[in-house]
Amino acid sequence: MKVYVIISLWLSVVACQAQSHSPGETKGEFGSAPNGLLYSPQTMRQLRHIVDSLHLRYKVCELRRAYRSHWQGQAHHVRLESGNIAAAAEALRHGISPEAFAMRFPAAKIERGLLVVSSQQEREQKNKKAVFTTYHTIPFDGQKEYSLEVAGVQQPPGPGQWVVEYEKKGYGGPYVEALYFPAGLTQTKLPQQYATLVQYADCLVDTTAQIYLEAAQRTGVRLQNKESASEAAFMRYVHQQTHRPTHNYNGRLSETEQEARWQAYRNWDSLRLTKVDAIAATPQFRELLRQAATDAASVGTSSDEFEEYVARYYSPRRALELKRSRRVIGGCSQDNGPRRHALGIAQLSAEAVNWETFLRAHLDIMNDRFERVSDGSYAWAARQTYLRELEELDINVPDLMLGISLRIDNPSQNHYFGTPYRVGRALTETRQPREMEQRLLTLVADSTLDTYNRVLAYYLFLNYIQHLDDKMQQQQNVAKLNKAVQTLPTYLVARATVKEPK
């Protein structure tokens, strides 16, 4: 049994490593087109045509609604894991002051001056939809993040109130954990200049569009769905005609022999399309491809290779439909299958003049918004962000990046939210670095904007700084950021101050 488990794990690793690169690839994450971009010159021309035809270069979106910030405020966090926990929970529920609590329960761990944000989520619980209110702290400089969850829709805590989580037994118990709010939580209206950015993101990233079709199937190296009979017949024919070598794991082969198999497969793959081009006009190829491409059983079960043939030799629109009918789940950190799949959707969407699907797929690549079985941080650096491709289209990229980065309590359904780490990294590619730096610093220092969004702008700028190659520019920007930090609420200034790089 142990041997079986070890072999299974080994096979998973091999499958992931096989997905992490393409044999013909020599430059960058996906290779590079002749223009040095993610997309070929032909695809970029098609995208520019879409941008022009939809007047996206000059799009101005009228503000049609008011946006609200999340409920937020200062809090102190306490946690007690020993002693009379029941009595501590009772005291907290009766509104004991933090000072009195510390005196009465000296074993409690207390951290003061935290920024807490409240949000509500709906999820399945015991086959029913349930709503939970979550209070989570925003950490600075690697500090611990705390999160408390309460069932139901909760009224925002007022001044001097506690939110208490008491676990008598079970996972992590017994313990009592609580947040104290000296001034309660508040919510504000997003100032018009920032609300306009959110509205611009909604105009550009169509909120009615989805990348994947409603019935899309989950696929991937660990979730392989059985291909249709017609697709299997077509792929057998192609592989036989092009003399595809086997590269499957065989425990009886030495490491050298196994590598030789992989090298033979890489060589075949580098010449694959040339070989397939040579047979693409034959009646048997065309008929087998037509049967497989139009077979309803192929929807949701197809593969990247098959979809490539459909796009190249049958119909790009049908290939796009097949791609949108499945979600690729990453098997491990090295598996770039989900990103490659999104790239295929973006490329085919451009060819099909489908801006909405293209932009969401490209933003997913930028934000690395994909599901994976596991994901180690060591793999993140290789996943590029590709901001330059959007700037080449002359849309208002700075407004778009800020519009998807701001957080609001009442977003449009299907509003696209960016990831601060990834967006901050992407901004290092901008053609307007000084303008972008100043805009972020202005957000951090703007007291009319809610504290949470000011801190998000701080994180955007911090991630931007960390990915700059110029050390002198890094030092200058850290000094500018620390100056802006002085305008934050007093309890956050020391936490948010950044150590200057050496």
Side-chain angles (χ1 to χ4, degrees), residues 210-428:
Q210 294 282 6
I211 296 177
Y212 302 104
L213 302 179
E214 189 173 345
Q217 300 294 307
R218 290 162 59 88
T219 64
V221 294
R222 301 193 187 192
L223 294 167
Q224 302 246 352
N225 293 332
K226 187 176 181 181
E227 61 190 351
S228 68
S230 60
E231 181 185 341
F234 169 75
M235 295 300 288
R236 276 196 306 272
Y237 174 77
V238 169
H239 292 162
Q240 288 168 359
Q241 294 297 309
T242 59
H243 305 291
R244 177 181 182 264
T246 181
H247 63 286
N248 294 333
Y249 169 71
N250 186 327
R252 293 171 295 180
L253 296 178
S254 68
E255 186 176 337
T256 301
E257 291 171 323
Q258 190 66 41
E259 177 57 31
R261 280 196 175 190
W262 274 107
Q263 188 57 51
Y265 174 80
R266 295 186 188 104
N267 292 339
W268 168 83
D269 195 48
S270 67
L271 302 171
R272 173 172 54 88
L273 289 179
T274 301
K275 293 180 177 181
V276 178
D277 284 345
I279 63 172
T282 63
Q284 188 172 1
F285 179 96
R286 294 172 61 182
E287 179 58 21
L288 286 172
L289 179 57
R290 185 196 65 77
Q291 290 177 6
T294 58
D295 188 350
S298 296
V299 176
T301 65
S302 51
S303 65
D304 285 340
E305 185 182 352
F306 174 68
E307 291 158 359
E308 185 177 23
Y309 299 145
V310 173
R312 189 177 180 93
Y313 306 113
Y314 183 75
S315 165
R317 286 185 178 275
R318 180 55 174 171
L320 178 59
E321 182 180 357
L322 291 173
K323 280 192 175 294
R324 295 181 66 195
S325 297
R326 61 189 187 96
R327 294 175 179 267
V328 177
I329 311 302
C332 65
S333 305
Q334 300 108 311
D335 181 5
N336 73 350
R339 293 175 62 77
R340 189 171 294 281
H341 185 68
L343 174 60
I345 290 176
Q347 291 170 325
L348 289 170
S349 295
E351 190 165 343
V353 196
N354 188 333
W355 171 257
E356 295 79 10
T357 305
F358 161 78
L359 187 54
R360 281 190 173 269
H362 186 86
L363 289 176
D364 274 1
I365 295 171
M366 176 182 289
N367 287 279
D368 197 34
R369 184 158 298 163
F370 304 106
E371 184 180 349
R372 295 182 177 88
V373 175
S374 62
D375 191 19
S377 58
Y378 66 87
W380 298 350
R383 301 171 190 157
Q384 303 302 305
T385 47
Y386 309 105
L387 183 78
R388 184 183 164 198
E389 282 71 7
L390 295 180
E391 289 200 326
E392 289 287 332
L393 300 177
D394 286 340
I395 61 175
N396 193 333
V397 174
D399 279 9
L400 175 61
M401 293 299 104
L402 293 177
I404 65 175
S405 296
L406 292 167
R407 295 299 189 259
I408 47 179
D409 186 53
N410 59 330
S412 303
Q413 188 173 6
N414 205 27
H415 174 79
Y416 196 98
F417 286 106
T419 306
Y421 168 76
R422 295 286 299 181
V423 174
R425 176 179 169 181
L427 292 175
T428 60

